[in-house]
């Protein structure tokens, strides 16, 4: 099991995803994208590459966010943020994840500086998958 994302020094970046079905979303991140389970239940936590994703149900305001309600995206075609996963080999990742059930919006597209495509998780959260091809000087 992967290590719990609690740094002893500095910071650790995690991404929080609101889900209508935490177990279904956890299976997507572990079974399709290959994340490692850190914590099961509500919330579930998975380690994906060098990052962590927390998956939990939504809910109303709390004392530390008194005007904020957490909910999955209402309209998957209107996005305010998304998870961006950088890969070493876009073609291999596309083939691997497609074989595990990922449904990409399009095939990978070459945009000069990067090759990228997008998928959605079961709750409609957008995920960019990209390979740098000209952004970095050594690529």
């Amino acid at each position: 099991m992967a290590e719990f994302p609690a740094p002893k020094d500095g910071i650790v970046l995690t991404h929080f995803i609101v889900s209508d079905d935490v177990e279904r979303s956890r299976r997507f991140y572990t079974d399709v994208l290959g994340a490692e389970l850190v914590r099961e239940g509500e919330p579930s936590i998975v380690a994906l590459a060098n990052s962590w994703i927390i998956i939990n149900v939504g809910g109303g305001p709390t004392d530390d966010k008194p005007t904020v309600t957490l909910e999955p995206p209402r309209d998957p075609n209107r996005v305010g943020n998304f998870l961006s996963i950088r890969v070493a080999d876009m073609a291999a990742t596309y083939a691997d994840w497609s074989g595990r059930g990922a449904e990409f919006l399009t095939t990978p597209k070459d945009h000069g500086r990067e090759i990228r495509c997008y998928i959605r998780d079961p709750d409609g959260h957008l995920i960019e998958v990209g390979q740098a091809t000209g952004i970095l000087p050594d690529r």
Side-chain angles (χ1 to χ4, degrees):
M1 188 173 279
E3 183 179 323
F4 188 78
K8 293 178 180 36
D9 294 307
I11 65 171
V12 172
L13 181 64
T14 62
H15 190 72
F16 188 100
I17 293 173
V18 180
S19 176
D20 282 331
D21 183 334
V22 173
E23 178 59 22
R24 177 193 66 196
S25 289
R26 195 262 327 138
R27 283 192 311 271
F28 171 81
Y29 285 93
T30 56
D31 299 350
V32 176
L33 302 189
E36 187 177 348
L37 180 64
V38 175
R39 182 185 190 281
E40 202 164 3
E42 292 181 7
S44 284
I45 301 173
V46 298
L48 182 60
N50 57 352
S51 297
W52 290 265
I53 300 171
I54 301 167
I55 308 162
N56 206 5
V57 295
T62 59
D63 63 351
D64 55 346
K65 54 176 184 45
T67 62
V68 177
T69 297
L70 298 178
E71 60 186 27
R74 290 183 191 186
D75 180 350
N77 294 317
R78 298 184 64 86
V79 176
N81 67 65
F82 58 87
L83 185 62
S84 180
I85 300 173
R86 310 317 285 173
V87 300
D89 186 335
M90 185 75 246
T93 301
Y94 180 82
D96 182 32
W97 291 359
S98 293
R100 294 192 219 169
E103 295 180 16
F104 287 84
L105 276 60
T106 67
T107 57
K109 305 294 182 187
D110 189 335
H111 293 273
R113 293 185 176 186
E114 68 178 338
I115 301 167
R116 70 174 186 257
C117 54
Y118 292 83
I119 57 178
R120 294 188 194 283
D121 77 2
D123 288 290
H125 295 281
L126 188 66
I127 302 169
E128 176 188 61
V129 184
Q131 174 187 343
T133 57
I135 293 174
L136 304 175
D138 64 339
R139 300 216 173 187

